[in-house]
Coordinates of all heavy atoms in Angstrom, one line a residue:
M263 N -25.5 21.8 1.9 CA -24.6 23.0 2.0 C -24.5 23.5 0.5 O -24.3 22.7 -0.4 CB -23.3 22.6 2.6 CG -22.3 23.7 2.6 SD -20.7 23.4 3.3 CE -21.2 23.3 5.1
N264 N -24.4 24.8 0.4 CA -24.2 25.4 -0.8 C -22.8 25.0 -1.4 O -21.8 25.0 -0.7 CB -24.2 27.0 -0.6 CG -24.1 27.7 -1.9 OD1 -23.3 27.4 -2.7 ND2 -24.9 28.8 -2.0
P265 N -22.8 24.5 -2.7 CA -21.6 24.1 -3.3 C -20.4 25.2 -3.3 O -19.3 24.8 -3.1 CB -22.0 23.8 -4.8 CG -23.5 23.5 -4.7 CD -24.0 24.4 -3.6
K266 N -20.8 26.4 -3.5 CA -19.8 27.4 -3.4 C -19.1 27.6 -2.1 O -17.9 27.8 -1.9 CB -20.3 28.8 -3.9 CG -20.7 28.8 -5.4 CD -21.3 30.2 -5.7 CE -21.6 30.2 -7.2 NZ -22.1 31.6 -7.6
I267 N -20.0 27.5 -1.1 CA -19.4 27.5 0.3 C -18.5 26.3 0.6 O -17.5 26.5 1.1 CB -20.6 27.6 1.4 CG1 -21.3 29.0 1.2 CG2 -20.0 27.4 2.8 CD1 -22.6 29.1 2.1
R268 N -19.0 25.2 0.1 CA -18.2 23.9 0.3 C -16.9 24.0 -0.3 O -15.8 23.7 0.2 CB -19.0 22.7 -0.2 CG -18.3 21.5 0.0 CD -19.1 20.3 -0.7 NE -20.5 20.3 -0.1 CZ -21.2 19.3 0.3 NH1 -20.7 18.1 0.1 NH2 -22.4 19.4 0.8
E269 N -16.8 24.5 -1.6 CA -15.6 24.6 -2.3 C -14.7 25.7 -1.6 O -13.4 25.6 -1.6 CB -15.7 25.1 -3.8 CG -16.3 24.0 -4.6 CD -15.4 22.7 -4.6 OE1 -14.2 22.8 -4.7 OE2 -16.0 21.6 -4.3
F270 N -15.2 26.7 -0.9 CA -14.5 27.7 -0.3 C -13.8 27.2 1.0 O -12.7 27.4 1.4 CB -15.3 28.9 0.1 CG -14.6 30.0 0.8 CD1 -13.8 30.8 0.2 CD2 -14.9 30.1 2.2 CE1 -13.1 31.8 0.9 CE2 -14.2 31.1 2.9 CZ -13.4 32.0 2.3
I271 N -14.6 26.3 1.7 CA -14.1 25.7 2.9 C -13.2 24.6 2.8 O -12.3 24.3 3.7 CB -15.4 25.3 3.9 CG1 -16.2 26.5 4.2 CG2 -15.0 24.6 5.0 CD1 -17.5 26.3 4.9
K272 N -13.3 23.8 1.7 CA -12.6 22.6 1.6 C -11.1 22.7 1.8 O -10.5 21.9 2.5 CB -12.9 22.1 0.1 CG -12.4 20.6 -0.1 CD -12.6 20.3 -1.6 CE -13.5 19.1 -1.7 NZ -13.7 18.7 -3.1
P273 N -10.4 23.7 1.1 CA -8.9 23.7 1.4 C -8.6 23.9 2.8 O -7.6 23.3 3.4 CB -8.5 25.0 0.6 CG -9.5 25.1 -0.4 CD -10.8 24.7 0.2
A274 N -9.3 24.8 3.6 CA -9.0 25.0 5.0 C -9.2 23.7 5.8 O -8.5 23.3 6.7 CB -9.8 26.1 5.5
Y275 N -10.4 23.1 5.5 CA -10.7 21.8 6.2 C -9.6 20.8 6.0 O -9.1 20.2 6.9 CB -12.0 21.3 5.7 CG -12.3 19.9 6.2 CD1 -12.8 19.6 7.4 CD2 -12.1 18.8 5.3 CE1 -13.0 18.3 8.0 CE2 -12.3 17.4 5.8 CZ -12.8 17.3 7.0 OH -13.0 16.0 7.5
N276 N -9.1 20.6 4.7 CA -8.1 19.6 4.5 C -6.8 20.0 5.1 O -6.1 19.1 5.6 CB -7.9 19.4 3.0 CG -9.1 18.7 2.2 OD1 -9.7 17.9 2.9 ND2 -9.3 19.0 1.0
F277 N -6.5 21.3 5.2 CA -5.2 21.8 5.8 C -5.2 21.3 7.3 O -4.3 20.8 7.8 CB -5.1 23.3 5.6 CG -3.9 23.8 6.4 CD1 -2.6 23.7 5.9 CD2 -4.1 24.4 7.6 CE1 -1.5 24.2 6.6 CE2 -3.0 25.0 8.4 CZ -1.7 24.8 7.8
F278 N -6.3 21.7 8.0 CA -6.3 21.3 9.4 C -6.5 19.8 9.7 O -5.9 19.3 10.6 CB -7.5 22.1 10.1 CG -7.2 23.6 10.2 CD1 -7.8 24.5 9.5 CD2 -6.2 23.9 11.1 CE1 -7.5 25.8 9.6 CE2 -5.9 25.3 11.2 CZ -6.5 26.3 10.5
K279 N -7.3 19.2 8.9 CA -7.4 17.7 9.0 C -6.1 17.0 8.9 O -5.7 16.2 9.7 CB -8.4 17.1 8.0 CG -8.7 15.7 8.2 CD -9.6 15.1 7.1 CE -9.0 15.0 5.8 NZ -8.3 14.0 5.3
D280 N -5.3 17.4 7.8 CA -4.0 16.7 7.6 C -3.0 17.1 8.6 O -2.2 16.3 9.0 CB -3.5 17.1 6.2 CG -4.3 16.6 5.1 OD1 -5.1 15.6 5.3 OD2 -4.2 17.0 4.0
G281 N -3.1 18.3 9.1 CA -2.2 18.8 10.2 C -2.4 18.1 11.5 O -1.5 17.8 12.3
I282 N -3.6 17.8 11.8 CA -4.0 17.1 13.0 C -3.8 15.6 13.0 O -3.5 15.0 14.1 CB -5.5 17.5 13.4 CG1 -5.6 19.0 13.7 CG2 -6.0 16.7 14.6 CD1 -7.0 19.5 13.8
D283 N -3.9 15.0 11.9 CA -3.8 13.5 11.8 C -2.3 13.2 11.9 O -1.6 12.8 10.9 CB -4.3 13.1 10.5 CG -4.5 11.6 10.3 OD1 -4.1 10.9 11.3 OD2 -4.9 11.1 9.3
I284 N -1.8 13.2 13.1 CA -0.3 13.0 13.3 C 0.1 11.7 13.0 O 1.2 11.4 12.3 CB 0.0 13.4 14.8 CG1 -0.2 14.9 15.0 CG2 1.5 13.0 15.1 CD1 -0.1 15.3 16.4
K285 N -0.7 10.6 13.3 CA -0.3 9.2 13.0 C -0.1 8.9 11.6 O 0.9 8.4 11.2 CB -1.4 8.3 13.7 CG -1.0 6.8 13.6 CD -2.1 6.0 14.2 CE -1.7 4.5 14.1 NZ -2.8 3.7 14.7
S286 N -1.0 9.4 10.8 CA -0.9 9.3 9.3 C 0.3 10.0 8.7 O 1.0 9.5 7.9 CB -2.2 9.7 8.6 OG -3.2 8.9 8.9
N287 N 0.5 11.2 9.3 CA 1.6 12.0 8.8 C 3.0 11.4 9.1 O 3.9 11.4 8.3 CB 1.6 13.4 9.4 CG 0.5 14.3 8.8 OD1 0.0 14.1 7.8 ND2 0.1 15.3 9.5
L288 N 3.1 10.8 10.2 CA 4.3 10.0 10.6 C 4.5 8.8 9.7 O 5.6 8.5 9.3 CB 4.3 9.6 12.1 CG 4.4 10.7 13.1 CD1 4.2 10.2 14.5 CD2 5.7 11.4 13.0
L289 N 3.4 8.2 9.4 CA 3.6 6.9 8.5 C 3.9 7.4 7.1 O 4.8 6.8 6.5 CB 2.2 6.2 8.5 CG 2.1 4.9 7.6 CD1 3.1 4.0 8.2 CD2 0.7 4.3 7.7
I290 N 3.4 8.5 6.6 CA 3.6 9.0 5.3 C 5.1 9.4 5.3 O 5.9 9.1 4.3 CB 2.8 10.1 4.9 CG1 1.3 9.6 4.6 CG2 3.3 10.9 3.7 CD1 0.3 10.7 4.5
K291 N 5.6 10.1 6.4 CA 7.0 10.5 6.4 C 7.9 9.2 6.4 O 9.0 9.2 5.7 CB 7.3 11.3 7.7 CG 8.6 11.9 7.7 CD 8.7 12.8 8.9 CE 10.0 13.6 9.0 NZ 10.1 14.5 10.1
K292 N 7.6 8.2 7.1 CA 8.4 7.0 7.1 C 8.4 6.4 5.8 O 9.5 5.9 5.3 CB 7.8 6.0 8.2 CG 8.5 4.8 8.3 CD 7.9 3.9 9.4 CE 8.5 2.6 9.5 NZ 7.9 1.7 10.5
N293 N 7.3 6.2 5.2 CA 7.1 5.6 3.9 C 7.8 6.4 2.7 O 8.3 5.9 1.8 CB 5.7 5.3 3.5 CG 5.1 4.2 4.2 OD1 5.8 3.3 4.7 ND2 3.8 4.2 4.2
S294 N 7.9 7.8 2.9 CA 8.6 8.6 1.9 C 10.1 8.3 1.7 O 10.6 8.6 0.7 CB 8.3 10.0 2.2 OG 9.1 10.4 3.4
K295 N 10.6 7.7 2.8 CA 12.1 7.3 2.7 C 12.3 6.2 1.6 O 13.3 6.0 1.1 CB 12.6 6.8 4.1 CG 12.7 7.9 5.1 CD 13.1 7.3 6.4 CE 13.0 8.4 7.4 NZ 13.3 8.0 8.8
L296 N 11.1 5.4 1.3 CA 11.2 4.4 0.3 C 11.2 4.9 -1.1 O 11.3 4.2 -2.1 CB 10.1 3.4 0.6 CG 10.3 2.6 1.8 CD1 9.0 1.8 2.1 CD2 11.4 1.7 1.9
Q297 N 10.7 6.2 -1.3 CA 10.6 6.7 -2.6 C 11.9 6.6 -3.5 O 12.9 6.9 -3.0 CB 10.1 8.2 -2.5 CG 9.8 8.8 -3.9 CD 9.2 10.2 -3.7 OE1 9.0 10.7 -2.6 NE2 9.1 10.8 -4.9
D298 N 11.7 6.1 -4.6 CA 12.8 5.8 -5.6 C 13.8 4.8 -5.2 O 14.9 4.7 -5.8 CB 13.4 7.1 -6.0 CG 12.5 8.1 -6.8 OD1 11.5 7.6 -7.3 OD2 12.8 9.3 -6.7
C299 N 13.6 4.2 -4.1 CA 14.5 3.2 -3.5 C 14.8 2.1 -4.4 O 15.8 1.5 -4.6 CB 13.9 2.6 -2.2 SG 15.2 2.2 -1.0
Y300 N 13.7 1.6 -5.2 CA 13.8 0.6 -6.1 C 13.5 1.0 -7.6 O 13.2 0.2 -8.4 CB 12.8 -0.6 -5.7 CG 13.1 -1.2 -4.4 CD1 12.3 -0.8 -3.3 CD2 14.1 -2.1 -4.3 CE1 12.6 -1.3 -2.0 CE2 14.4 -2.6 -3.0 CZ 13.6 -2.3 -1.9 OH 13.9 -2.8 -0.6
K301 N 13.8 2.2 -7.8 CA 13.5 2.8 -9.1 C 14.3 2.1 -10.2 O 15.5 1.9 -10.1 CB 13.9 4.3 -9.1 CG 13.5 5.1 -10.4 CD 13.7 6.5 -10.3 CE 13.1 7.3 -11.5 NZ 13.2 8.7 -11.2
G302 N 13.6 1.8 -11.3 CA 14.2 1.1 -12.4 C 14.4 -0.5 -12.2 O 14.8 -1.1 -13.1
K303 N 13.9 -1.0 -11.1 CA 13.9 -2.4 -10.8 C 12.5 -3.0 -11.0 O 11.6 -2.3 -10.9 CB 14.4 -2.7 -9.4 CG 15.8 -2.2 -9.2 CD 16.4 -2.6 -7.9 CE 17.7 -1.9 -7.8 NZ 18.8 -2.7 -7.3
R304 N 12.4 -4.2 -11.4 CA 11.1 -4.9 -11.6 C 10.6 -5.4 -10.2 O 11.4 -5.6 -9.3 CB 11.2 -6.0 -12.6 CG 12.0 -7.2 -12.1 CD 12.1 -8.3 -13.1 NE 12.8 -9.4 -12.5 CZ 12.9 -10.5 -13.3 NH1 12.3 -10.7 -14.4 NH2 13.6 -11.5 -12.7
C305 N 9.3 -5.4 -10.1 CA 8.7 -6.0 -8.9 C 7.5 -6.8 -9.4 O 7.0 -6.7 -10.5 CB 8.3 -4.9 -8.0 SG 7.0 -3.8 -8.6
F306 N 7.0 -7.6 -8.4 CA 5.9 -8.5 -8.7 C 4.8 -8.3 -7.5 O 5.1 -8.2 -6.4 CB 6.3 -10.0 -8.6 CG 7.3 -10.3 -9.6 CD1 8.7 -10.1 -9.4 CD2 6.9 -10.7 -11.0 CE1 9.7 -10.4 -10.4 CE2 7.9 -10.9 -11.9 CZ 9.2 -10.8 -11.6
L307 N 3.5 -8.2 -8.0 CA 2.4 -8.2 -7.1 C 1.8 -9.5 -6.9 O 1.5 -10.2 -7.9 CB 1.4 -7.2 -7.6 CG 1.7 -5.8 -7.9 CD1 0.6 -5.0 -8.5 CD2 2.2 -5.1 -6.7
L308 N 1.7 -10.0 -5.7 CA 1.2 -11.2 -5.3 C -0.3 -11.0 -4.8 O -0.4 -10.6 -3.7 CB 2.0 -12.0 -4.3 CG 3.5 -12.2 -4.7 CD1 4.3 -12.8 -3.7 CD2 3.6 -13.0 -5.9
L309 N -1.2 -11.4 -5.6 CA -2.6 -11.2 -5.3 C -3.2 -12.6 -4.8 O -2.5 -13.6 -4.8 CB -3.5 -10.7 -6.4 CG -2.9 -9.4 -7.1 CD1 -3.6 -9.0 -8.3 CD2 -2.8 -8.2 -6.0
T310 N -4.3 -12.5 -4.2 CA -4.8 -13.7 -3.5 C -5.8 -14.5 -4.3 O -6.6 -15.2 -3.8 CB -5.3 -13.3 -2.2 OG1 -6.3 -12.3 -2.4 CG2 -4.2 -12.8 -1.3
G311 N -5.9 -14.4 -5.7 CA -6.9 -15.1 -6.5 C -6.4 -16.6 -6.6 O -5.3 -17.0 -6.2
E312 N -7.3 -17.4 -7.2 CA -7.0 -18.8 -7.3 C -5.8 -19.1 -8.2 O -5.1 -20.1 -8.1 CB -8.2 -19.5 -7.8 CG -9.3 -19.7 -6.9 CD -10.5 -20.4 -7.4 OE1 -10.2 -21.3 -8.4 OE2 -11.6 -20.1 -7.1
S313 N -5.5 -18.2 -9.1 CA -4.3 -18.4 -10.1 C -3.0 -18.3 -9.4 O -2.0 -18.8 -9.9 CB -4.4 -17.3 -11.1 OG -4.2 -16.1 -10.6
I314 N -2.9 -17.9 -8.2 CA -1.7 -17.9 -7.5 C -1.1 -19.2 -7.3 O 0.1 -19.5 -7.2 CB -1.8 -17.1 -6.0 CG1 -0.4 -16.8 -5.4 CG2 -2.6 -17.9 -5.1 CD1 0.3 -15.7 -6.1
N315 N -2.0 -20.2 -7.2 CA -1.6 -21.6 -7.0 C -1.0 -22.2 -8.3 O -0.3 -23.3 -8.2 CB -2.8 -22.5 -6.7 CG -3.4 -22.1 -5.4 OD1 -2.7 -21.7 -4.4 ND2 -4.7 -22.1 -5.2
Q316 N -1.1 -21.6 -9.4 CA -0.5 -22.0 -10.7 C 1.0 -21.4 -10.9 O 1.5 -21.7 -11.9 CB -1.4 -21.6 -11.8 CG -2.8 -22.2 -11.8 CD -3.7 -21.6 -12.8 OE1 -3.3 -20.8 -13.7 NE2 -5.0 -22.0 -12.7
I317 N 1.5 -20.6 -9.9 CA 2.7 -19.9 -10.1 C 3.7 -20.7 -9.2 O 3.4 -21.0 -8.0 CB 2.6 -18.5 -9.7 CG1 1.6 -17.8 -10.7 CG2 3.9 -17.8 -9.8 CD1 1.3 -16.5 -10.3
N318 N 4.9 -20.8 -9.6 CA 6.0 -21.4 -8.8 C 6.6 -20.2 -8.1 O 7.4 -19.4 -8.6 CB 7.1 -22.0 -9.7 CG 8.2 -22.6 -8.9 OD1 8.3 -22.5 -7.6 ND2 9.1 -23.3 -9.5
L319 N 6.2 -19.9 -6.9 CA 6.6 -18.7 -6.2 C 8.1 -18.8 -5.7 O 8.6 -17.8 -5.3 CB 5.7 -18.6 -4.9 CG 4.3 -18.3 -5.2 CD1 3.4 -18.2 -4.0 CD2 4.1 -17.0 -6.0
H320 N 8.7 -20.0 -5.7 CA 10.0 -20.1 -5.3 C 11.0 -19.3 -6.2 O 12.0 -18.8 -5.9 CB 10.6 -21.6 -5.3 CG 9.8 -22.3 -4.2 ND1 10.1 -22.1 -2.9 CD2 8.9 -23.3 -4.2 CE1 9.3 -22.9 -2.1 NE2 8.5 -23.6 -3.0
K321 N 10.5 -19.1 -7.5 CA 11.3 -18.3 -8.4 C 11.4 -16.8 -8.0 O 12.2 -16.1 -8.5 CB 10.7 -18.5 -9.9 CG 10.9 -19.8 -10.4 CD 10.3 -19.9 -11.8 CE 10.5 -21.3 -12.4 NZ 10.0 -21.4 -13.8
L322 N 10.4 -16.5 -7.2 CA 10.3 -15.0 -6.9 C 11.0 -14.8 -5.4 O 11.0 -13.6 -5.0 CB 8.9 -14.6 -6.7 CG 8.1 -14.7 -8.0 CD1 6.6 -14.3 -7.8 CD2 8.7 -13.8 -9.1
K323 N 11.6 -15.7 -4.9 CA 12.2 -15.6 -3.6 C 13.1 -14.4 -3.4 O 13.0 -13.7 -2.4 CB 12.9 -16.9 -3.2 CG 13.3 -16.9 -1.7 CD 13.7 -18.3 -1.3 CE 13.9 -18.3 0.2 NZ 13.6 -19.4 0.9
N324 N 14.0 -14.1 -4.3 CA 15.0 -13.0 -4.1 C 14.5 -11.8 -5.0 O 15.3 -10.9 -5.2 CB 16.3 -13.4 -4.5 CG 16.8 -14.5 -3.5 OD1 16.6 -14.3 -2.2 ND2 17.4 -15.5 -4.0
Q325 N 13.2 -11.7 -5.3 CA 12.8 -10.6 -6.1 C 12.1 -9.7 -5.2 O 11.7 -10.0 -4.0 CB 11.8 -11.1 -7.2 CG 12.4 -12.1 -8.2 CD 13.5 -11.4 -9.0 OE1 13.4 -10.2 -9.4 NE2 14.5 -12.2 -9.4
I326 N 11.8 -8.4 -5.7 CA 11.0 -7.4 -5.0 C 9.6 -7.8 -5.2 O 9.0 -7.8 -6.3 CB 11.3 -6.0 -5.5 CG1 12.8 -5.7 -5.3 CG2 10.4 -5.0 -4.8 CD1 13.2 -4.5 -6.1
T327 N 8.9 -8.1 -4.1 CA 7.5 -8.5 -4.2 C 6.6 -7.8 -3.2 O 7.1 -7.4 -2.1 CB 7.4 -10.1 -3.8 OG1 8.0 -10.3 -2.6 CG2 8.1 -10.9 -5.0
F328 N 5.4 -7.6 -3.6 CA 4.4 -7.0 -2.8 C 3.2 -8.0 -2.7 O 2.6 -8.4 -3.6 CB 3.8 -5.7 -3.5 CG 4.7 -4.6 -3.6 CD1 5.7 -4.6 -4.6 CD2 4.7 -3.5 -2.6 CE1 6.6 -3.5 -4.7 CE2 5.6 -2.5 -2.7 CZ 6.5 -2.4 -3.7
A329 N 3.0 -8.4 -1.5 CA 1.8 -9.2 -1.1 C 0.7 -8.4 -0.6 O 0.8 -7.4 0.1 CB 2.2 -10.3 -0.1
T330 N -0.5 -8.7 -1.0 CA -1.7 -8.0 -0.6 C -2.6 -8.7 0.3 O -2.8 -9.9 0.4 CB -2.5 -7.6 -1.9 OG1 -3.0 -8.8 -2.5 CG2 -1.6 -6.7 -2.8
N331 N -3.4 -7.9 1.0 CA -4.5 -8.3 1.9 C -4.4 -9.6 2.6 O -3.5 -9.7 3.5 CB -5.8 -8.3 1.1 CG -6.3 -6.9 0.7 OD1 -5.7 -5.9 1.3 ND2 -7.0 -6.7 -0.2
W332 N -5.1 -10.7 2.2 CA -5.0 -11.9 3.0 C -3.9 -12.9 2.6 O -3.9 -14.1 2.9 CB -6.4 -12.7 2.8 CG -7.5 -12.0 3.6 CD1 -8.3 -11.0 3.1 CD2 -7.8 -12.3 4.9 NE1 -9.1 -10.7 4.2 CE2 -8.8 -11.4 5.3 CE3 -7.3 -13.2 5.9 CZ2 -9.4 -11.4 6.6 CZ3 -7.8 -13.2 7.1 CH2 -8.9 -12.4 7.4
S333 N -2.9 -12.4 1.9 CA -1.8 -13.2 1.5 C -1.0 -13.8 2.7 O -0.4 -14.8 2.6 CB -0.9 -12.4 0.6 OG -0.4 -11.3 1.3
F334 N -1.1 -13.1 3.8 CA -0.4 -13.6 5.0 C -1.0 -14.9 5.5 O -0.4 -15.6 6.2 CB -0.5 -12.6 6.2 CG -1.8 -12.4 6.7 CD1 -2.4 -13.0 7.7 CD2 -2.6 -11.3 6.2 CE1 -3.6 -12.9 8.1 CE2 -3.8 -11.0 6.7 CZ -4.4 -11.8 7.6
A335 N -2.2 -15.2 5.0 CA -2.8 -16.6 5.4 C -2.4 -17.6 4.4 O -2.9 -18.8 4.6 CB -4.3 -16.4 5.4
M336 N -1.7 -17.3 3.4 CA -1.2 -18.3 2.4 C 0.2 -18.8 2.7 O 1.1 -18.0 2.5 CB -1.4 -17.8 1.0 CG -2.8 -17.3 0.7 SD -2.9 -16.6 -0.9 CE -2.9 -18.2 -1.9
P337 N 0.4 -20.0 3.1 CA 1.8 -20.5 3.5 C 2.7 -20.4 2.3 O 3.9 -20.1 2.5 CB 1.5 -22.0 3.8 CG 0.0 -22.2 4.0 CD -0.6 -21.1 3.3
E338 N 2.2 -20.6 1.1 CA 3.2 -20.5 -0.1 C 3.7 -19.1 -0.2 O 5.0 -19.0 -0.5 CB 2.4 -20.7 -1.4 CG 1.6 -22.0 -1.5 CD 0.3 -22.0 -0.8 OE1 -0.2 -20.9 -0.5 OE2 -0.3 -23.1 -0.7
I339 N 3.0 -18.0 0.1 CA 3.5 -16.7 0.1 C 4.4 -16.4 1.3 O 5.4 -15.8 1.2 CB 2.4 -15.7 0.0 CG1 1.7 -15.8 -1.4 CG2 2.9 -14.2 0.2 CD1 0.5 -14.9 -1.7
L340 N 3.9 -16.9 2.4 CA 4.7 -16.7 3.7 C 6.1 -17.3 3.6 O 7.1 -16.8 4.3 CB 4.0 -17.2 4.9 CG 2.8 -16.3 5.4 CD1 2.2 -16.9 6.6 CD2 3.3 -14.9 5.7
N341 N 6.3 -18.4 2.9 CA 7.5 -19.0 2.8 C 8.6 -18.3 2.0 O 9.8 -18.6 2.0 CB 7.4 -20.5 2.3 CG 6.7 -21.4 3.3 OD1 6.8 -21.1 4.5 ND2 6.0 -22.4 2.8
M342 N 8.1 -17.3 1.3 CA 9.1 -16.5 0.4 C 10.1 -15.7 1.2 O 11.3 -15.9 0.9 CB 8.3 -15.7 -0.6 CG 7.5 -16.4 -1.6 SD 6.7 -15.3 -2.7 CE 7.8 -14.1 -3.1
P343 N 9.9 -14.9 2.0 CA 8.7 -14.0 2.3 C 8.6 -12.9 1.4 O 9.7 -12.4 0.8 CB 8.9 -13.6 3.7 CG 10.3 -13.5 3.9 CD 10.9 -14.6 3.0
P344 N 7.5 -12.2 1.2 CA 7.5 -10.9 0.4 C 8.3 -9.8 1.0 O 8.6 -9.7 2.2 CB 5.9 -10.5 0.5 CG 5.3 -11.7 0.9 CD 6.2 -12.5 1.8
T345 N 8.7 -8.9 0.0 CA 9.5 -7.7 0.5 C 8.5 -6.7 1.2 O 9.0 -6.2 2.2 CB 10.1 -7.0 -0.8 OG1 10.7 -8.0 -1.6 CG2 11.1 -6.0 -0.4
F346 N 7.3 -6.6 0.7 CA 6.4 -5.6 1.3 C 5.0 -6.3 1.4 O 4.6 -7.1 0.6 CB 6.2 -4.4 0.4 CG 7.5 -3.6 0.3 CD1 8.3 -3.7 -0.8 CD2 8.0 -2.7 1.4 CE1 9.5 -3.0 -0.9 CE2 9.1 -2.0 1.3 CZ 9.9 -2.2 0.2
Y347 N 4.2 -5.8 2.4 CA 2.8 -6.2 2.5 C 2.0 -5.0 2.3 O 2.3 -3.8 2.8 CB 2.5 -6.7 3.9 CG 3.1 -8.1 4.1 CD1 4.3 -8.3 4.7 CD2 2.4 -9.2 3.7 CE1 4.8 -9.5 5.1 CE2 2.9 -10.5 3.9 CZ 4.1 -10.7 4.6 OH 4.7 -11.9 4.8
L348 N 0.9 -5.2 1.5 CA 0.0 -4.0 1.3 C -1.4 -4.5 1.8 O -1.8 -5.6 1.7 CB -0.1 -3.7 -0.2 CG 1.1 -3.4 -0.9 CD1 0.8 -3.3 -2.4 CD2 1.6 -2.0 -0.4
G349 N -2.0 -3.5 2.4 CA -3.5 -3.7 2.8 C -4.4 -2.7 2.2 O -4.0 -1.6 2.0
S350 N -5.5 -3.1 1.7 CA -6.5 -2.2 1.2 C -7.9 -2.5 1.8 O -8.1 -3.7 2.1 CB -6.5 -2.2 -0.3 OG -6.9 -3.5 -0.8
Q351 N -8.7 -1.6 1.8 CA -10.1 -1.7 2.2 C -11.1 -1.1 1.3 O -10.9 0.1 0.9 CB -10.2 -1.1 3.7 CG -11.6 -1.1 4.3 CD -11.7 -0.5 5.7 OE1 -10.7 0.0 6.1 NE2 -12.8 -0.5 6.2
F352 N -12.0 -1.9 0.9 CA -13.0 -1.3 0.0 C -14.3 -1.1 0.7 O -14.7 -1.9 1.4 CB -13.2 -2.4 -1.2 CG -12.0 -2.5 -2.0 CD1 -11.2 -3.7 -1.8 CD2 -11.6 -1.6 -3.0 CE1 -10.1 -3.9 -2.5 CE2 -10.5 -1.8 -3.7 CZ -9.7 -3.0 -3.6
N353 N -14.9 0.1 0.4 CA -16.2 0.4 1.0 C -17.2 0.4 0.0 O -17.1 0.7 -1.0 CB -16.1 1.7 1.7 CG -15.2 1.7 2.9 OD1 -14.9 0.7 3.5 ND2 -14.5 2.9 3.2

């Protein structure tokens, strides 16, 4: 497709795509309530690499924590439990 035509169509395509994707829009609206909720506070990201075994996670029990991807399969993290879970997919 001609790049000029593609750039011309892109805004309309995104407008209709975003308007039709109701499920994602509802999720974004729900998550937007969290915006600035913890502003100015520290948080910790719990990733699933081997180094997680070298950390005393009990110290993070009452802290704001984000656990990622397969962290739900790690008993050490589940015993905390994290404040939020994040999932990501790489293609």
